[in-house]
Amino acid sequence: MSDGNSGLQLRSLLKNSGELELSLVSVPTPEPADDEVVVRVEATPINPSDLGLLIGPADMSAAQVSGTKDQPVVTAKMPEAAMRMMAARLDQSLPVGNEGAGTVIETGSSDAAKALMGKMVSMIGGAMYTQYRVLKVRDVMELPPGTTAADGASWFVNPLTALGMTETMRRENHKALVHTAAASNLGQMLNKICIKDGIGLVNIVRSKEQADILHKIGAKYVVDSTAASFLDDLTNALVETGATIAFDAIGGGKLASQILTAMEVAANKTAKEYSRYGSNVYKQVYIYGALDTRPTELSRSFGLTWGVGGWLLTPFLQKIGPAEIGRLRQRVASELKTTFASHYTRVVSLPETLDLANIAVYGKRATGEKFLINPNKSS
């Protein structure tokens, strides 16, 4: 680089011994190729998908910290059962962070690259928990004037996941949907999309506080899975909305089964005739998260017209192709400060990201505790 920068980058290393090591390493910033730009990373969120790579199921309650204040090293033990699933990443020092935003400080020689000099951009492509990132022009998006790095940092994963859910609903011929863990940043975005687009949305939350968050932004159907009346409340909301597709962030336990059962009861309330095989209304639950890591339990009380499967953003985007992705990205850019606004409770530097007290908070994946890393913030 013209000003000779190297920068710190956060790495996650799982050793063959079962020890997880998180550290900051100094990496040189390469010269950009013709169609590349160098971005000074100024905001990058800690999403659940990032935590999967950063710490996974490691036991962070007994983690140790060594090294220096500016370059701490955190070590923790990975459970033996999890090691079998992670054979492909053993003994590799992996960079973390899916998305982010920052300022273009150097460019390659192409016109498209040069046009971005000095601009604030959002970016996708991994290794975002770093001070400087070299990326192809196609992997960055120029942000509208007046947009801050914090505004643009969460432009990809949550917004496109929320849009992906409503797109999947339409493509698979459903008219309304159900979402669990619904008070999250993602859940709030999904509500704003559904309100704006006139889509029925049933929100499943786990507390009155979470329900209040959603009611405040205009959500109509909010049901609490801890309430004694949960199944009745859910069934009534399904009758009113006609929702027959659900996106479940919980994964483990009985919730997916309860949703399918309630969908079946709702379908039978409007059925014209009885069938011993259950209703002929197709009911689908897509599991896209694992807030509960227990096995998924299905109690088969919902007929024979149903499906449970996994849903991930990347395969969905590959399926719809570049033109449709472009359309969705454009919508995100134009509604970044409204529909797709994210809220953060704390901004931390790279060393502060490895502070054990901070890990204890963001590692819980709790609603209303969203951390943003500014890799160029001094601790």
Side-chain angles (χ1 to χ4, degrees):
M1 265 178 74
S2 51
D3 54 355
N5 265 327
S6 62
L8 286 179
Q9 184 178 80
L10 197 158
R11 296 283 185 87
S12 175
L13 167 66
L14 180 58
K15 297 177 180 174
N16 207 17
S17 60
E19 182 182 73
L20 177 74
E21 180 184 283
L22 309 177
S23 63
L24 299 176
V25 299
S26 184
V27 292
T29 306
E31 287 290 332
D34 293 351
D35 62 341
E36 291 181 335
V37 293
V38 181
V39 182
R40 182 176 63 233
V41 185
E42 292 155 10
T44 172
I46 302 178
N47 289 320
S49 51
D50 300 310
L51 287 171
L53 178 59
L54 182 67
I55 55 179
D59 179 13
M60 299 310 289
S61 63
Q64 305 281 315
V65 66
S66 60
T68 64
K69 179 176 177 286
D70 292 333
Q71 286 190 254
V73 177
V74 173
T75 52
K77 193 79 186 136
M78 188 65 74
E80 217 167 291
M83 289 292 288
R84 289 192 291 277
M85 304 284 291
M86 298 186 174
R89 66 163 289 188
L90 293 182
D91 296 321
Q92 296 176 69
S93 177
L94 299 174
V96 188
N98 284 315
E99 62 183 340
T103 306
V104 175
I105 57 170
E106 190 175 352
T107 77
S109 59
S110 74
D111 290 344
K114 287 197 290 200
L116 292 170
M117 184 64 195
K119 298 285 175 61
M120 180 67 69
V121 296
S122 290
M123 48 198 167
I124 185 77
M128 292 297 163
Y129 297 175
T130 191
Q131 291 183 307
Y132 303 99
R133 187 75 171 83
V134 179
L135 286 155
K136 291 201 177 298
V137 169
R138 66 163 186 260
D139 293 326
V140 306
M141 179 173 76
E142 184 181 341
L143 291 169
T147 309
T148 65
D151 290 333
S154 294
W155 72 287
F156 192 89
V157 176
N158 281 347
L160 288 185
T161 298
L163 285 171
M165 290 173 178
T166 57
E167 288 290 312
T168 299
M169 177 203 79
R170 288 189 188 99
R171 284 161 183 262
E172 298 184 4
N173 298 315
H174 301 272
K175 69 171 193 175
L177 67 159
V178 179
H179 186 224
T180 72
S184 62
N185 261 307
L186 168 65
Q188 292 178 51
M189 280 179 197
L190 185 58
N191 271 280
K192 290 174 185 171
I193 292 167
C194 289
I195 290 165
K196 196 170 172 129
D197 294 1
I199 297 167
L201 173 63
V202 179
N203 297 277
I204 298 177
V205 297
R206 288 177 287 185
S207 68
K208 184 187 178 300
E209 292 72 32
Q210 292 176 354
D212 291 344
I213 290 169
L214 292 177
H215 284 309
K216 271 193 193 117
I217 62 169
K220 188 172 177 188
Y221 303 100
V222 185
V223 295
D224 183 346
S225 62
T226 63
S229 58
F230 168 57
L231 279 175
D232 286 340
D233 297 341
L234 177 58
T235 304
N236 292 336
L238 293 170
V239 169
E240 284 197 44
T241 57
T244 47
I245 183 170
F247 290 87
D248 178 27
I250 309 296
K254 297 176 177 170
L255 187 57
S257 193
Q258 290 173 320
I259 292 167
L260 288 169
T261 301
M263 283 178 176
E264 177 70 0
V265 173
N268 284 326
K269 283 194 174 183
T270 54
K272 303 284 185 284
E273 56 189 52
Y274 169 74
S275 163
R276 61 185 171 174
Y277 301 113
S279 78
N280 61 1
V281 173
Y282 185 74
K283 303 163 289 292
Q284 176 71 45
V285 174
Y286 282 120
I287 294 172
Y288 77 97
L291 291 174
D292 183 336
T293 54
R294 292 176 301 164
T296 305
E297 292 177 50
L298 296 179
S299 307
R300 299 265 307 280
S301 53
F302 32 78
L304 289 165
T305 318
W306 56 274
V308 173
W311 191 93
L312 268 178
L313 177 59
T314 305
F316 168 74
L317 293 176
Q318 285 165 345
K319 196 179 351 179
I320 67 172
E324 281 296 290
I325 294 169
R327 180 177 68 81
L328 298 183
R329 279 173 61 153
Q330 213 33 64
R331 176 167 183 186
V332 175
S334 62
E335 297 176 37
L336 256 183
K337 294 192 177 186
T338 52
T339 311
F340 302 107
S342 282
H343 305 285
Y344 305 100
T345 43
R346 187 99 200 266
V347 179
V348 291
S349 66
L350 283 172
E352 287 167 344
T353 306
L354 297 185
D355 180 286
L356 293 182
N358 286 334
I359 292 173
V361 177
Y362 67 69
K364 286 196 311 243
R365 301 164 166 84
T367 298
E369 289 284 3
K370 181 99 170 162
F371 275 54
L372 187 70
I373 302 171
N374 177 352
N376 282 287
K377 171 183 186 272
S378 50
S379 296

